[in-house]
Amino acid sequence: MSKKFRVFATCDIGDSIELLRKRGYEVEVYPRPEAPPKNLIIEKVKSGVDGLITTLRDPIDAEVFEVGKGTLKVVAQIAVGFDNINRADANRYKVPFTHTADVLTEATAEFAFFLLGSLARKMWPAEHLTRENRWGYWHPYLPFLGDEVTGKTIAVIGTGRIGLALIKKCSGFDMNILCYDPAYQNHEYVKGIQEVMDLRQARGIQKEKTWIKYVSLEEALRTADFVSVHVPLLREGESTTPTYHLFNEKTLRMMKPTAYLVNTSRGPVVDELAVAKALREKWIAGAALDVYEKEPLPEDSPLRDPAIEDRFRLLPHFASAARITRLSTDPNKGMAGRTAQGLIDVLEGNYDGDVRKMPYVVNKEAFGK
Ligand code: GLV
């Protein structure tokens, strides 16, 4: 390598940092676990770094690209979501940014499924009962019962990679599946799942016939026992199909009072005040959130209301937080490995230096014909 590339990482991404250094890169890692202040990112970019390693808590916009003019060549994001990066600004300054799709698909989908299961089967209140020595008897229905997941109907809101992976898992639990996506439908995948369902029933692997179909949002919400959200965060003006507050008082009221909501996508897709109200007033049976409008969850958040605690699970943006998924240096397995490879592809001009051919670059549209 003729040039020694300089990189600033806003967080540690494990062994992949050492691998970049072994490759000759000069990598500075922000040493603290929380996000660096934005002015530090600006200062580093101003000092002429070639690449940034960022994550979902770092705001990357025109202010950053402006000071990096002529020097900043790539932003490599360790996350699949990139709503913290202003795509229009990146495009205007012609800076490619990369993300880590695919490697966290299964981990996130299984986490959504586990949340749904632990919520419906009341594992958290049941464990509390045991730990607090309030388990006084075995009784057919006291002190409470949960709801089975097997054989129920789920609405999968968003049928991109993670939504489709969840569908695959739900089909193994003999569930009926309602699909909704405002922007992207995969009818071939849905057809394949139906064939698998039919084969399982024909061979006696599942008793009942089950089905999968695309429906409107309203039909999905009115019919489902479980609703799991897997859309990107798109604010008004960013898309013809924005997802900001897709779950609000109106849509939450469409859900059945026995239904459960799970969100592992992005916090602002769900209006938190509306969810707290829906739980307090029992419009829905329960909810589990892994992501929030503001992260970390503020101490005075209404979501912490003890009155809804037994029906409401709160997780710390944790769905992709599995060892291999987060830290493997293999770009086909780990978010860290994929981040480093995305950075290398751009800086070292892989794929004949053609950004549009680089698999992890998101904003290919900015790089003409
Ligand atoms: C996590 O939320 C991600 O986008 O990877």
Side-chain angles (χ1 to χ4, degrees):
M1 215 172 32
S2 50
K3 183 178 182 308
K4 184 168 181 164
F5 294 112
R6 281 181 57 219
V7 173
F8 177 63
T10 67
C11 55
D12 185 19
I13 63 165
D15 294 345
S16 296
I17 296 284
E18 225 27 66
L19 292 179
L20 285 172
R21 286 182 179 140
K22 283 210 181 98
R23 226 179 155 83
Y25 284 52
E26 190 185 310
V27 188
E28 185 188 348
V29 179
Y30 185 66
R32 300 181 56 85
E34 61 275 1
K38 188 172 181 199
N39 60 18
L40 182 67
I41 299 177
I42 303 236
E43 189 186 302
K44 296 298 172 187
V45 172
K46 214 177 203 168
S47 80
V49 296
D50 302 284
L52 275 180
I53 291 175
T54 59
T55 191
L56 43 92
R57 47 193 206 172
D58 305 315
I60 305 298
D61 56 15
E63 210 184 339
V64 175
F65 295 122
E66 179 62 32
V67 294
K69 249 176 159 167
T71 49
L72 182 66
K73 296 169 192 72
V74 60
V75 176
Q77 162 109 334
I78 182 162
V80 59
F82 46 79
D83 43 284
N84 59 302
I85 299 174
N86 187 312
R87 186 174 189 151
D89 290 350
N91 290 357
R92 212 148 30 84
Y93 285 88
K94 295 224 174 313
V95 178
F97 65 92
T98 67
H99 73 153
T100 64
D102 301 313
V103 288
L104 48 72
T105 298
E106 299 296 336
T108 305
E110 74 172 25
F111 194 79
F113 190 84
F114 297 152
L115 279 183
L116 173 161
S118 90
L119 183 64
R121 298 301 304 271
K122 299 208 171 5
M123 291 187 188
W124 193 84
E127 182 172 346
H128 271 268
L129 186 88
T130 315
R131 287 188 177 279
E132 290 155 19
N133 207 18
R134 290 184 287 114
W135 172 31
Y137 44 79
W138 189 98
H139 184 280
Y141 58 83
L142 293 174
F144 48 71
L145 295 175
D147 293 307
E148 303 82 353
V149 171
T150 302
K152 295 283 176 59
T153 297
I154 185 166
V156 178
I157 308 302
T159 56
R161 302 174 190 86
I162 299 170
L164 295 182
L166 178 66
I167 286 171
K168 179 175 60 170
K169 295 178 200 319
C170 292
S171 69
F173 275 72
D174 306 347
M175 298 182 86
N176 293 306
I177 304 169
L178 296 159
C179 308
Y180 170 76
D181 194 305
Y184 169 81
Q185 284 107 34
N186 191 329
H187 293 280
E188 267 309 294
Y189 192 94
V190 162
K191 191 163 154 255
I193 293 284
Q194 186 65 63
E195 285 168 14
V196 172
M197 287 171 163
D198 293 345
L199 180 64
R200 281 164 55 102
Q201 199 223 355
R203 298 284 174 90
I205 295 167
Q206 65 182 56
K207 269 204 220 110
E208 308 285 338
K209 181 166 171 51
T210 53
W211 44 261
I212 176 168
K213 58 183 176 184
Y214 273 101
V215 293
S216 67
L217 180 63
E218 179 157 358
E219 183 177 346
L221 300 186
R222 290 205 189 279
T223 320
D225 303 303
F226 297 95
V227 175
S228 191
V229 189
H230 302 283
V231 292
L233 170 60
L234 295 166
R235 295 179 193 272
E236 208 64 53
E238 284 177 352
S239 161
T240 50
T241 52
T243 58
Y244 177 79
H245 281 193
L246 183 64
F247 284 80
N248 51 43
E249 287 211 14
K250 182 164 170 241
T251 46
L252 286 167
R253 277 187 191 277
M254 289 175 187
M255 288 175 62
K256 298 198 291 193
T258 49
Y260 297 92
L261 174 72
V262 174
N263 185 20
T264 52
S265 65
R266 279 293 181 270
V269 173
V270 170
D271 176 347
E272 290 176 359
L273 286 178
V275 169
K277 188 167 173 194
L279 289 167
R280 267 196 321 272
E281 299 183 6
K282 308 212 169 144
W283 309 346
I284 61 175
L289 301 184
D290 185 43
V291 287
Y292 305 93
E293 300 205 51
K294 185 170 189 308
E295 297 180 5
L297 186 66
E299 199 175 341
D300 61 354
S301 166
L303 300 182
R304 296 184 190 275
D305 181 355
I308 52 176
E309 181 178 311
D310 58 336
R311 291 162 286 142
F312 194 21
R313 304 284 51 83
L314 301 176
L315 282 298
H317 203 143
F318 209 57
S320 66
R323 235 177 277 278
I324 292 169
T325 300
R326 281 279 174 87
L327 288 187
S328 171
T329 56
D330 179 346
N332 292 314
K333 296 203 168 101
M335 294 163 70
R338 190 157 280 214
T339 303
Q341 191 60 50
L343 184 93
I344 289 168
D345 284 348
V346 177
L347 292 183
E348 297 183 25
N350 291 344
Y351 301 89
D352 309 318
D354 185 345
V355 168
R356 289 165 307 164
K357 292 188 195 149
M358 298 179 189
Y360 312 142
V361 168
V362 176
N363 57 334
K364 295 191 166 81
E365 71 276 8
F367 301 90
K369 301 261 171 272

